[in-house]
Amino acid sequence: MRPVLAVVLVVAGLILVVGALNHAQTVSLDCVVGTWSQASVFVLAAIVAGLLVATAVLAAAAAGVRAADDRRKLENELERTYARLRAAGGQPASPSEQPREGGLREDVAPSSEEHVGVEGGDAPVA
């Protein structure tokens, strides 16, 4: 999030620079509740830059709170999963999944096929 805040600060600085270059100019703003006459462009730029930075800081804070909440939820879920795995690890496996003396399960037979591969010298010669 720091790079985003850095970019926002650079943009706010550029807005202030533009306002400072036009500090002698004034404008009149017609608002819903009234009129602001002879408003300096620099003051308007400072207000816009301040609102931009404040909005970015609030958005960063909200993102940080959300990330912390997501991290907390993930840690709780992992703890529950590890507890279930530890409990399952203490139980003996079902008889069909237990290995025989040779290390192979009963339902799996060793393959008698020959495997042909590149390592065996069967690669075509170019």
Side-chain angles (χ1 to χ4, degrees):
M1 197 52 130
R2 286 186 180 187
V4 173
L5 289 176
V7 169
V8 167
L9 287 175
V10 167
V11 170
L14 289 174
I15 291 172
L16 283 175
V17 167
V18 169
L21 292 175
N22 297 312
H23 73 285
Q25 294 181 353
T26 59
V27 294
S28 294
L29 297 175
D30 292 327
C31 301
V32 175
V33 294
T35 302
W36 184 8
S37 299
Q38 303 300 320
S40 172
V41 173
F42 179 69
V43 171
L44 292 174
I47 291 171
V48 168
L51 288 174
L52 179 69
V53 170
T55 303
V57 168
L58 288 175
V65 167
R66 189 173 188 182
D69 186 45
D70 288 346
R71 189 178 312 116
R72 181 188 53 81
K73 286 179 183 178
L74 180 61
E75 288 173 355
N76 288 340
E77 183 179 342
L78 285 173
E79 280 299 318
R80 287 192 308 267
T81 302
Y82 288 149
R84 286 194 311 256
L85 284 173
R86 281 188 227 111
Q91 297 173 356
S94 65
S96 65
E97 295 178 358
Q98 290 180 350
R100 295 189 317 177
E101 292 176 13
L104 297 174
R105 293 188 334 209
E106 294 177 25
D107 58 341
V108 177
S111 176
S112 62
E113 298 177 4
E114 285 189 28
H115 294 285
V116 178
V118 176
E119 291 85 17
D122 296 335
V125 178

